[in-house]
Amino acid sequence: MAGILAGKKALIFGVANDRSIAWAVARELHAQGAELAFTYAGEVLEKRVRPLAEGIGSTIVLPCDVTRDQEIEAVFQEVGRRWGGLDILVHAIAFARKEDLSQPYVQTGREGFHTALDISSYSLVVLTRHAAELMKGRGGAVVTLTYMGSEKVVPNYNVMGVAKAALEASVRYLAHDLGPEGIRVNAISAGPVKTLAASGIAGFRDMLHLVSERAPLRRNVDPAEIGRTAVYLVSDLGSGVTGETLHVDAGYNVMGM
Ligand code: NAD
């Protein structure tokens, strides 16, 4: 298929169902000709992810819980064996315990803090390290998903805001480490989208409503818009951009009042 990503191989982490932002990204990368591989976190999700992946001609669909180093290693080994290299890594993974997304942030326990930071932030570091091995000699691009709760207080976002701040800082440090190898690392700071992960945040419906009233574009973002921004960041269109966090939020983040 022709397109600006024709011949490129992309590994996607974070599809849970057809409402996932990772799925919107996958569809846009596919539309631009990229060949895709997917991972899923647990058997329950396999039933949803496999048919979606196969529907767009993907034959590499592997289990990966990012808290398990062995599963991560197995994914990259298999991708290396099948493709002999990698051009694009999409990281769209986050998790925090439900109680940590509703009680006051000051109540966050040690375990909840570690869980959120491990799954939502550290996973980018370890996945990027493995991806960089497969990108050696050919360059590549990594894109992750973040949210404005890293920069400003968003009630109930809590420990996830702290995890996203660590994620965005990681994007900058990874960009510095891997720039000499021609590997770019960027984040998309997306406006609220109704997904499985979002449903865990207390008051999420109010966030959607507020954005539709106050954002400069007076609406919420369409997941496809996030996907097309990912195409820009991972393709030659974004060849001069790395270490960046790009807001795709109908402009909401620029508002002060
Ligand atoms: P989603 O529920 O569809 O995706 C979250 C994914 O994280 C799921 O596929 C889930 O399986 C995966 N995940 C959780 N724990 C995991 C683990 N231990 N190992 C491997 N995978 C694991 O929700 P989404 O909203 O599409 O989330 C994707 C990304 O977008 C997240 O980083 C999220 O923070 C970010 N984001 C979402 C919004 C929003 O409003 N939905 C806004 C900005 C940023």
Side-chain angles (χ1 to χ4, degrees), residues 37 79 89 103 115 121 125 132 160 180 189 198 212:
V79 168
L89 171 69
Q103 67 188 1
T115 299
S121 311
V125 182
M160 190 54 77
S189 185
S212 71

Side-chain angles (χ1 to χ4, degrees), residues 14-16 20-21 41 45 64-67 92-95 119 145-147 157 164 190-193 195-198 204:
V15 178
S20 295
I21 292 175
L45 291 183
C64 189
D65 177 330
V66 294
T67 62
I93 291 173
F95 180 81
I119 297 177
L145 268 299
T146 187
Y147 176 61
Y157 202 63
K164 292 303 193 190
V193 176
T195 62
L196 200 62
F204 183 76

Side-chain angles (χ1 to χ4, degrees), residues 122-195:
Y122 178 70
S123 62
L124 177 71
V125 182
V126 60
L127 296 184
T128 299
R129 183 162 68 241
H130 284 281
E133 279 296 312
L134 294 181
M135 290 171 178
K136 246 188 197 130
R138 59 202 270 167
V142 177
V143 67
T144 186
L145 268 299
T146 187
Y147 176 61
M148 193 197 62
S150 62
E151 308 161 52
K152 296 275 164 40
V153 173
V154 174
N156 298 322
Y157 202 63
N158 299 355
V159 70
M160 190 54 77
V162 175
K164 292 303 193 190
L167 182 77
E168 291 167 26
S170 286
V171 163
R172 293 185 282 272
Y173 280 93
L174 292 168
H176 171 258
D177 283 351
L178 301 175
E181 295 176 41
I183 298 169
R184 298 182 296 105
V185 185
N186 291 291
I188 295 172
S189 185
V193 176
K194 213 170 156 202
T195 62

